[in-house]
């Protein structure tokens, strides 16, 4: 008989695997922060600073004791993290670097064709020149190469890079260059062989071991999953690779089939490790406090999975024309215990020193009680302190329920 994972258990397990069950008041040491990032697998980077940049917000949501300087130290001083691509730009434990060599090889011809079609021969001619400059001169920013003032928008709305910037990105995405630090969030590149410790840079992983690592480590961080969800976690292996891995691992007795109950009572087939019942039993209850999540939080990265398990439909609307937005430009999900209970539109107005709430929407069936409002106000005050804002302000005529 196929094991049924109840919806509440599924949510509790996923919240735990995504690092949201640790006591939110914890003050993590740099070593403990690294352990948290390794538990998550990676942390997505994003330059948008509506409240705070996504990577900082993601880690702060797990513990209010997070310090931005610790993440900088792990990457830039200790070399325990490197920047590259998963489904988007991310910080990743450096010990995983050998597996990214397979990604570099797979993506090299595709990226070369795409960038060459985009910028014709200009880009291709710059590759060796840019690589030689960095080899001879060390860590380099795009502006150090001259005639490159960064991306500009064309009349058609596309971001256009100078060929030197495109060459830098190509060399980074294909593993020739690494990002050794950020200055004002601008990338500083160096040769990968100088940036990645030799024990990780030189180690080779066979294709079979690479696929096994990618799928096994995704399963560890998802708890239960379909082959498509396994493939999508790191965005390293194909769906066909993930399907073959699931079939072989299940035949060897290291995976079982399960049915996972969705928020609406329906079920969905997935696979899990044979000890899934014990794993669920060991997963702690989520902290009861109300937390604001980043739009790029790993808990909600898979929007379809989020909707199935939490009954919470979430889309980021930064690319949606304002008249067509359902909520707002950059709206944050609200998590309370093991539920996603609402969403909030807010922005840090740095010149005014104000964290300004423009909109607040509770999910259907979630009551706006005095206790819940107090929880929200406490969370907003924590975010105010984290971002350095002086005060929290609420819009009074927003057409929703933010007039608290």
């Amino acid at each position: 008989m196929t094991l049924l994972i109840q919806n509440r258990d599924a949510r509790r397990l996923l919240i735990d695997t995504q690092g949201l069950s640790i006591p939110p008041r914890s003050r993590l040491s740099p070593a403990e922060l690294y352990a948290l990032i390794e538990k998550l697998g990676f942390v997505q980077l994003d330059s948008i600073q509506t409240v705070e940049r996504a990577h900082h917000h993601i880690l702060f949501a797990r513990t209010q004791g997070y310090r931005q300087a610790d993440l900088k130290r792990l990457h830039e001083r200790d070399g325990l993290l490197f920047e590259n691509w998963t489904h988007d730009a991310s910080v990743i434990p450096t010990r995983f670097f050998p597996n990214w060599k397979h990604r570099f090889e797979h993506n090299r011809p595709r990226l070369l064709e795409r960038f060459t079609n985009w910028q014709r021969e200009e880009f291709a001619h710059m590759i060796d020149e840019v690589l030689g400059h960095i080899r001879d001169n060390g860590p380099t920013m795009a502006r150090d190469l001259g005639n490159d003032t960064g991306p500009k928008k064309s009349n058609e709305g596309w971001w256009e890079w100078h060929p030197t910037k495109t060459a830098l990105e190509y060399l980074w995405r294909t593993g020739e260059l690494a990002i050794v630090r950020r200055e004002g969030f601008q990338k500083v590149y160096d040769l990968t062989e100088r940036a990645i410790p030799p024990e990780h840079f030189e180690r080779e992983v066979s294709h079979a071991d690479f696929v096994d690592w990618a799928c096994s480590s995704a399963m560890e961080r998802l708890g239960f999953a379909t082959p498509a969800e396994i493939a999508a976690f790191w965005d390293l292996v194909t769906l066909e690779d993930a399907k073959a891995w699931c079939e072989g691992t299940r035949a060897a007795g290291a995976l079982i089939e399960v049915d996972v109950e969705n928020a609406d009572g329906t079920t969905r087939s997935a696979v899990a490790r044979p000890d899934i019942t014990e794993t669920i039993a060991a997963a702690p209850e989520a902290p009861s406090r109300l937390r604001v999540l980043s739009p790029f939080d790993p808990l909600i990265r898979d929007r379809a999975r989020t909707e199935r398990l939490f009954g919470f439909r979430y889309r980021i609307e930064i690319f949606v024309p304002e008249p067509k937005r359902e909520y707002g430009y950059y709206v944050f999900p609200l998590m309370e215990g093991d539920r996603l209970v609402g969403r909030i539109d807010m922005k840090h107005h740095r010149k005014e020193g104000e964290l300004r709430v423009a909109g607040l929407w509770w999910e259907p069936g979630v009551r706006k009680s005095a206790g819940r409002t107090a929880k929200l106000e406490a969370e907003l005050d924590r975010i105010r302190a984290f971002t350095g804002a002086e005060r929290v302000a609420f819009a009074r005529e927003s057409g929703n329920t933010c007039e608290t």
Side-chain angles (χ1 to χ4, degrees), residues 367-383:
R367 190 167 62 90
K368 181 191 171 186
S369 64
R372 184 164 283 124
T373 298
K375 282 185 175 183
L376 175 61
E377 290 174 347
E379 173 70 351
L380 292 176
D381 192 59
R382 287 187 287 267
I383 293 175

Side-chain angles (χ1 to χ4, degrees), residues 189-255:
Y189 305 84
D190 199 359
L191 298 181
T192 302
E193 63 201 65
R194 295 197 291 235
I196 301 295
E199 63 270 25
H200 304 309
F201 177 76
E202 295 172 1
R203 187 164 68 88
E204 300 294 335
V205 177
S206 70
H207 182 76
D209 286 345
F210 156 68
V211 171
D212 183 62
W213 175 84
C215 295
S216 296
S217 58
M219 274 299 308
E220 180 183 343
R221 290 162 176 83
L222 292 170
F224 50 86
T226 65
E229 290 166 344
I230 291 170
F233 183 82
W234 300 106
D235 194 24
L236 286 173
V237 299
T238 66
L239 177 57
E240 290 70 25
D241 283 336
K243 285 180 177 178
W245 180 85
C246 287
E247 291 172 4
T249 309
R250 188 167 60 240
L255 281 181

Side-chain angles (χ1 to χ4, degrees), residues 132-153:
H133 175 94
I134 294 175
R135 182 178 291 111
D136 295 342
N137 295 280
T140 298
M141 301 174 70
R143 68 188 182 205
D144 298 328
L145 297 171
N147 60 37
D148 192 341
T149 57
K152 295 181 176 65
K153 253 186 178 178

Side-chain angles (χ1 to χ4, degrees), residues 118-119 146-166:
W118 177 21
Q119 296 200 335
N147 60 37
D148 192 341
T149 57
K152 295 181 176 65
K153 253 186 178 178
S154 71
N155 292 333
E156 290 75 30
W158 293 93
W159 287 99
E160 293 181 342
W161 285 333
H162 189 278
T164 55
K165 171 62 176 174
T166 309

Side-chain angles (χ1 to χ4, degrees), residues 230-388:
I230 291 170
F233 183 82
W234 300 106
D235 194 24
L236 286 173
V237 299
T238 66
L239 177 57
E240 290 70 25
D241 283 336
K243 285 180 177 178
W245 180 85
C246 287
E247 291 172 4
T249 309
R250 188 167 60 240
L255 281 181
I256 62 171
E257 293 187 23
V258 297
D259 287 331
V260 182
E261 183 184 24
N262 297 320
D264 63 3
T266 62
T267 61
R268 181 179 171 88
S269 296
V271 293
R273 293 297 189 183
D275 63 352
I276 184 65
T277 300
E278 292 79 10
T279 302
I280 290 171
E285 295 291 337
S288 61
R289 76 157 51 173
L290 192 148
R291 285 179 274 187
V292 176
L293 300 183
S294 164
F296 302 108
D297 195 284
L299 182 72
I300 61 168
R301 181 184 304 120
D302 185 333
R303 307 299 198 215
R305 197 180 211 227
T306 300
E307 190 166 353
R308 287 196 306 271
L309 293 179
F310 292 89
F312 185 83
R313 185 181 187 278
Y314 179 76
R315 302 292 186 273
I316 191 166
E317 298 183 287
I318 56 177
F319 300 116
V320 177
E322 186 172 359
K324 296 183 178 181
R325 289 177 191 152
E326 186 176 3
Y327 296 104
Y329 172 77
Y330 201 81
V331 172
F332 301 81
L334 298 177
M335 176 181 174
E336 183 181 23
D338 65 353
R339 301 169 63 203
L340 292 167
V341 297
R343 56 199 88 204
I344 189 168
D345 183 5
M346 60 182 180
K347 182 177 181 179
H348 182 193
H349 292 263
R350 289 168 175 81
K351 288 184 178 179
E352 295 86 352
E354 190 170 270
L355 181 65
R356 191 176 304 163
V357 177
L360 171 63
W361 300 265
W362 299 109
E363 287 295 281
V366 175
R367 190 167 62 90
K368 181 191 171 186
S369 64
R372 184 164 283 124
T373 298
K375 282 185 175 183
L376 175 61
E377 290 174 347
E379 173 70 351
L380 292 176
D381 192 59
R382 287 187 287 267
I383 293 175
R384 176 204 59 76
F386 179 61
T387 60

Side-chain angles (χ1 to χ4, degrees), residues 112 115-130 147 160-168:
L112 182 61
F115 288 168
T116 301
N117 289 340
W118 177 21
Q119 296 200 335
R120 307 304 177 192
E121 293 80 14
E122 289 184 86
F123 149 70
H125 291 162
M126 294 304 303
I127 293 175
D128 289 340
E129 183 177 328
V130 167
N147 60 37
E160 293 181 342
W161 285 333
H162 189 278
T164 55
K165 171 62 176 174
T166 309
L168 285 168

